Amino acid sequence: MKLLKKSKILIVGLGLIGGSYAAALTKKGYQVYALTKEEESIEFAKAHNYIIDGKTKVDEEFISSFDIVIFSLYPKIFISWMKEYHTYFKEGTYILDVTGVKGSIVYEIQDIIKNDKIEFIPTHPMAGREVYGVQNAKYDLFIGANYIITPTDKNTKEGIELAKEIGSILEFKNISILTPEKHDEMIAFLSQLTHCIAVSLMTCKDSIHLKEYTGDSFRDLTRIANINENMWSELFLMNKKELLAQMDLFIREFEKLRDAIESDDVKTMKDMMRLSTKRRSYFNK
Amino acid sequence: MKLLKKSKILIVGLGLIGGSYAAALTKKGYQVYALTKEEESIEFAKAHNYIIDGKTKVDEEFISSFDIVIFSLYPKIFISWMKEYHTYFKEGTYILDVTGVKGSIVYEIQDIIKNDKIEFIPTHPMAGREVYGVQNAKYDLFIGANYIITPTDKNTKEGIELAKEIGSILEFKNISILTPEKHDEMIAFLSQLTHCIAVSLMTCKDSIHLKEYTGDSFRDLTRIANINENMWSELFLMNKKELLAQMDLFIREFEKLRDAIESDDVKTMKDMMRLSTKRRSYFNK
């Protein structure tokens, strides 16, 4: 399926990410509606021309009027929603999500759907801000960011193409395809581990009185220490096995450096720093 | 002593920091000279109007012509230099430095000097870049950054005032006074620990192939993983006791979070995240 200007798109969950999807898709000329908990979010999104209209209650007639439905909910709420209402979609509907963990939800959602005329294509837009809600949504949130599609053998070529097209419309820089498992390993390392480090760095010492001595390094490492505890604790537990593996990998390496310092092992220290510098150079934007 | 436009200032070590001191002081109308290893650095600094002139060889007549001498050398080289040439300064000279560790050098340097007509006021400008050398110097490197003076009982009110004045001329935002010991504890936590984390994060896994999935968090946490191994291994070892204490503090906290995730202890996870968010809010610029 090719995304058409006349396709009707529903965003379920009008928060920061859902709101930014709505804002960006509307700006590009698509027809966007919303389903979300708070009337206030609908009013805000309408007033800012992010959506044509929206509802706060699930309603079969409404749900079945859409060609594409994009879920921007917490993982567990997404699963419950699907269990309860999956029969409301019309045949031919394409469903996407924005969930940050994949292995523990992708197969379950695809199993829930049953109907093989309805396709769920799992996607993960790797973008965010330290603020929440549709009030902080931005149509340009995804420009230059990374977008990952994690299809299974239940997905069709058309479904995957549609997900890619949405990624292009939102102006992601890299659009990649990974298995749900590879995605989760990668996300455990790049995103979840880094959040665990930032949180621990912030909580291990009362550093508030150190504010006037803080250079950029402490600020950089703790920017993401401003964290939504409900969302992140859920994401951590839904990816527990991989996250623990990456945390243990990091602890071992950190202790290697610690022990090198303790024993004046300058060679190990310098070897690590050289490798670090070399690898980091590949990440310069 | 009040810094006068006719005071002659010598920068010893014309690298990134020494070069930026020279550029900033010259821009504000002071008379700046340099002593450094490479003729090329002198030529570059002269061509860019960072200095009036410079030398690559230590020479008593030259050294004794300055009112203020600012050392921007690696700690151990600074100590060796002082041991060899400390008799070259004229009486009344004020000596400053930019060294990132204090306890292990401040007392030693003050002891080396012997002559109580020559005063060493230890200072630490908390600024830097991931690039090196006078070629990357910037007159505005210190604007908005933090500047710490770590005097001992050998310092005079006048000496400390002079160090503050230089901090103001360079436009540091916060100029603070700490004991060498408090400075080292603080720097172990805010700067050295964060560099150890960044290095370990970069070396624990070959992440180069993960480049296209990397969000901002991994980039933020590893920006400082591009590290000068000679300088930092020296700084780490010169502050070993404090650095190990801060590393151990961090490991314990990180393992607390790890264990909470392993045992589905959502309360501990959320408590840590809430505290983290609360503390981090004080650091928003």
Side-chain angles (χ1 to χ4, degrees), chain A residues 211 219-220 223 282-283, chain B residues 211 219-220 223 282-283:
Chain A
K211 187 173 188 291
R219 277 185 205 281
D220 278 358
R223 186 183 61 83
Y282 295 105
F283 285 87
Chain B
K211 187 173 187 290
R219 275 185 206 282
D220 279 357
R223 186 183 60 83
Y282 295 103
F283 285 87

Side-chain angles (χ1 to χ4, degrees), chain A residues 79-281:
Chain A
I79 291 174
S80 317
W81 198 103
M82 290 296 284
K83 281 183 180 160
E84 199 163 347
Y85 305 116
H86 68 93
T87 55
Y88 288 11
F89 302 110
K90 70 174 174 194
E91 291 200 344
T93 303
Y94 287 93
I95 299 168
L96 280 79
D97 71 334
V98 303
T99 320
V101 288
K102 290 302 181 200
S104 56
I105 67 143
V106 166
Y107 304 105
E108 188 171 355
I109 296 284
Q110 288 187 334
D111 283 347
I112 289 167
I113 292 173
K114 291 183 194 84
N115 188 333
D116 63 9
K117 296 283 192 323
I118 295 167
E119 182 171 352
F120 168 51
I121 312 111
T123 57
H124 180 194
M126 291 189 68
R129 300 179 67 194
E130 286 71 47
V131 287
Y132 300 93
V134 68
Q135 290 76 11
N136 290 301
K138 291 164 51 169
Y139 76 90
D140 60 357
L141 185 64
F142 310 109
I143 296 178
N146 298 317
Y147 180 78
I148 303 164
I149 307 170
T150 64
T152 70
D153 54 16
K154 291 204 178 167
N155 285 109
T156 64
K157 215 178 137 204
E158 292 71 31
I160 297 169
E161 282 306 312
L162 176 73
K164 283 187 184 171
E165 198 186 338
I166 289 177
S168 299
I169 293 167
L170 299 175
E171 297 187 48
F172 282 96
K173 187 174 63 180
N174 298 303
I175 297 177
S176 317
I177 301 214
L178 284 179
T179 63
E181 294 71 25
K182 275 280 161 204
H183 168 277
D184 286 354
E185 182 195 337
M186 182 274 294
I187 220 70
F189 180 70
L190 291 177
S191 167
Q192 298 185 328
L193 171 61
T194 50
H195 280 79
C196 289
I197 289 171
V199 166
S200 303
L201 190 54
M202 209 71 229
T203 57
C204 73
K205 195 183 185 98
D206 183 357
S207 47
I208 293 167
H209 65 290
L210 299 178
K211 187 173 188 291
E212 61 256 52
Y213 314 120
T214 313
D216 287 339
S217 48
F218 189 79
R219 277 185 205 281
D220 278 358
L221 265 82
T222 57
R223 186 183 61 83
I224 55 173
N226 179 345
I227 188 170
N228 178 326
E229 72 272 11
N230 296 313
M231 183 173 85
W232 284 92
S233 59
E234 192 168 320
L235 290 172
F236 285 179
L237 291 179
M238 293 189 92
N239 200 26
K240 188 204 279 200
K241 194 175 141 251
E242 271 306 334
L243 175 54
L244 291 176
Q246 305 302 326
M247 289 179 90
D248 290 343
L249 186 73
F250 171 76
I251 291 175
R252 279 197 301 278
E253 190 74 5
F254 187 76
E255 286 183 337
K256 179 178 150 190
L257 179 57
R258 186 215 170 279
D259 294 346
I261 294 168
E262 186 169 42
S263 57
D264 292 321
D265 178 358
V266 176
K267 184 181 178 304
T268 298
M269 290 167 64
K270 288 193 181 178
D271 283 349
M272 287 181 72
M273 291 183 196
R274 271 187 219 105
L275 178 60
S276 168
T277 300
K278 186 180 159 208
R279 283 196 181 152
R280 185 57 178 79
S281 68

Side-chain angles (χ1 to χ4, degrees), chain A residues 12-24:
Chain A
V12 183
L14 209 52
L16 174 71
I17 302 294
S20 298
Y21 263 71

Side-chain angles (χ1 to χ4, degrees), chain A residues 13-78:
Chain A
L14 209 52
L16 174 71
I17 302 294
S20 298
Y21 263 71
L25 289 166
T26 296
K27 201 177 162 76
K28 293 288 174 79
Y30 296 93
Q31 295 186 43
V32 183
Y33 295 77
L35 174 70
T36 200
K37 235 169 28 188
E38 306 288 342
E39 185 59 42
E40 201 186 329
S41 306
I42 306 257
E43 292 310 321
F44 183 93
K46 279 169 71 173
H48 288 75
N49 290 319
Y50 294 168
I51 58 171
I52 295 169
D53 206 351
K55 283 191 185 288
T56 58
K57 298 272 175 262
V58 188
D59 157 343
E60 183 164 1
E61 197 186 324
F62 183 63
I63 302 293
S64 64
S65 69
F66 292 97
D67 306 295
I68 294 160
V69 182
I70 302 173
F71 283 85
S72 181
L73 298 174
Y74 283 19
K76 286 186 182 167
I77 299 176
F78 178 30

